[in-house]
Amino acid sequence: MLDEAYHRMDRRTAGPGEPWRVRVARVADDNRDLLARHPWIADLAVTRPPLGPGVIGKYEYELAAFEGIGLTDVEMDAALTHLLGFVHANALAAADDAAHNSRQSQEDWWAVSAPLLERALDPERYPLAGRVGSTVAGYHPETIWAFGLQCVLDGLARLIDSRPGPDDTP
């Protein structure tokens, strides 16, 4: 089933000269979409998946996003694994949020929880939790996705930019 799901995964091809950040973000988005359509995949151990055409094709597609950006082959695999770990964690959180929201709306949850929070949250003892929590006011999966993906991409960019260029002398 996993190999078949991977085989059917959307694989949007890169345009000529497309920036690597766009390609890598696309891989993240495609994997996020895959896990949204098949949430059971997030419960599987996929570090040693069944080696079929779906798995191999998915891996080839994903690695192509990292090709030519200044990483070694080992680093390309590690960068992909890091990216997919972020996607996996995000998918688990989104599934958890969806499961809770299917049982109780955000408004209903806050109606029950707000009085408890007011009693438990001493603003003098927990000033940061009070300030940040009231600003955020709930779980926002799209904000968390965009911020996390930006951090992953910025981290890769910093690594790549720290490398000497072909014209630099060591």
Side-chain angles (χ1 to χ4, degrees):
M1 280 177 46
L2 180 63
D3 191 66
E4 184 62 25
Y6 281 2
H7 182 71
R8 294 175 184 260
M9 176 184 165
D10 290 337
R11 294 186 179 113
R12 298 175 284 157
T13 56
E18 191 169 48
W20 71 264
R21 289 176 77 103
V22 172
R23 297 189 320 254
V24 171
R26 181 180 302 109
V27 167
D29 290 337
D30 290 348
N31 275 279
R32 183 183 189 205
D33 293 345
L34 175 73
L35 291 172
R37 283 192 313 280
H38 304 288
W40 53 269
I41 292 174
D43 293 330
L44 300 177
V46 295
T47 54
R48 293 184 181 176
L51 298 178
V55 170
I56 302 300
K58 178 180 182 290
Y59 187 55
E60 178 76 15
Y61 162 71
E62 293 164 340
L63 286 174
F66 296 91
E67 179 70 355
I69 66 173
L71 300 176
T72 67
D73 288 351
V74 170
E75 290 171 334
M76 285 172 48
D77 181 76
L80 174 60
T81 300
H82 180 66
L83 177 72
L84 295 180
F86 162 71
V87 173
H88 184 258
N90 188 275
L92 289 174
D96 182 58
D97 182 58
H100 283 90
N101 283 339
S102 68
R103 293 190 300 265
Q104 186 178 40
S105 73
Q106 188 81 311
E107 293 79 21
D108 290 344
W109 185 86
W110 276 109
V112 171
S113 299
L116 299 172
L117 186 59
E118 286 177 25
R119 286 197 307 267
L121 186 69
D122 177 356
E124 290 182 23
R125 186 170 181 191
Y126 306 110
L128 290 174
R131 186 188 80 220
V132 173
S134 65
T135 301
V136 172
Y139 177 74
H140 303 282
E142 292 304 318
T143 300
I144 292 166
W145 172 260
F147 179 81
L149 184 57
Q150 185 72 40
C151 288
V152 171
L153 296 173
D154 287 351
L156 287 171
R158 184 168 179 167
L159 173 68
I160 293 163
D161 292 346
S162 73
R163 303 286 170 83
D167 296 332
D168 297 339
T169 56

